[in-house]
Amino acid sequence: MELNNILPTIIAQPQLHARWLNTLSLMENTGARKISASEDPVTVTYIILKHAAEEHRHAFYLKKQIEKVQEDLCPTYAGEYLLAPAYSKYYLNQLDVDVCRYLKKELKLTGSELRFAAYLLVTYAIEVRADELYPVYQEALDNVGSKVNVKSIILEEEGHLEEMINQLQKFSPEWELHAQKAVDIETRLFGQWVEALSTSLA
Ligand SMILES: [Fe+2]
Ligand SMILES: [Fe+2]
């Protein structure tokens, strides 16, 4: 099952569309909180602060888009207001767990080094995904003339991917190998998430 096959079904029904937006908001918020949690209180940089701020904005912005679908839908991240709630929460956490396991095993990293490397790889994989997912969603919105739009998120996510590549290049000369590993892990988890979404619609 591909995401572009289920999006028209979701967008056509206000209840489902609101829960989809709320689910994306939850995932952006989870990502933002992970970035903030991985910040070193002393060595945190301009680029990391900017990134955390923008991911928090995405969570808020998606929540705000729900008003365009229908007022008073999905006030919180409680399961009843999400699509595939269990898996949507599992996806990012498991990505983090699997990437940390890889870094411990392959690079023998621990402590703050492990935290920083995991931030780089997990965020890179998410940015690759975001650069694919949001344009597909925007196209589905355009196809039906929806008032909802995610163009400002698309612009910022493109910047994030470049910023992650810059940081990864400084992290390791073999960054592409590690980044590909993170993308492989993410691709498997994302496929399972889309399956969980389509099951929840059935
Ligand atoms: Fe984002
Ligand atoms: Fe991002």
Side-chain angles (χ1 to χ4, degrees), residues 79-197:
E80 66 204 277
Y81 304 128
L82 298 167
L83 291 178
Y87 203 87
S88 298
K89 289 173 185 167
Y90 171 83
Y91 160 83
L92 250 184
N93 288 328
Q94 195 58 38
L95 178 59
D96 216 9
V97 167
D98 289 352
V99 166
C100 282
R101 189 175 294 148
Y102 167 78
L103 286 167
K104 278 186 210 162
K105 188 162 167 269
E106 296 298 321
L107 298 180
K108 312 277 183 258
L109 296 181
T110 55
S112 62
E113 278 188 343
L114 175 65
R115 264 200 306 282
F116 183 64
Y119 153 73
L120 291 177
L121 291 186
V122 168
T123 311
Y124 173 82
I126 292 170
E127 296 305 342
V128 170
R129 178 61 58 197
D131 278 10
E132 188 183 308
L133 183 146
Y134 283 112
V136 167
Y137 178 35
Q138 184 63 55
E139 198 187 331
L141 291 168
D142 291 341
N143 286 344
V144 293
S146 174
K147 279 186 244 164
V148 173
N149 98 74
V150 292
K151 289 175 190 164
S152 70
I153 298 183
I154 292 173
L155 263 182
E156 286 180 348
E157 300 294 16
E158 284 168 3
H160 293 167
L161 187 59
E162 273 176 46
E163 289 161 12
M164 293 321 296
I165 292 170
N166 285 338
Q167 292 184 88
L168 277 161
Q169 285 168 337
K170 287 178 203 143
F171 166 72
S172 164
E174 290 176 331
W175 74 270
E176 281 170 293
L177 179 90
H178 305 310
Q180 186 55 48
K181 184 70 197 174
V183 167
D184 291 346
I185 294 168
E186 193 281 338
T187 299
R188 183 176 50 81
L189 291 167
F190 180 79
Q192 292 171 5
W193 180 63
V194 174
E195 283 303 321
L197 282 177

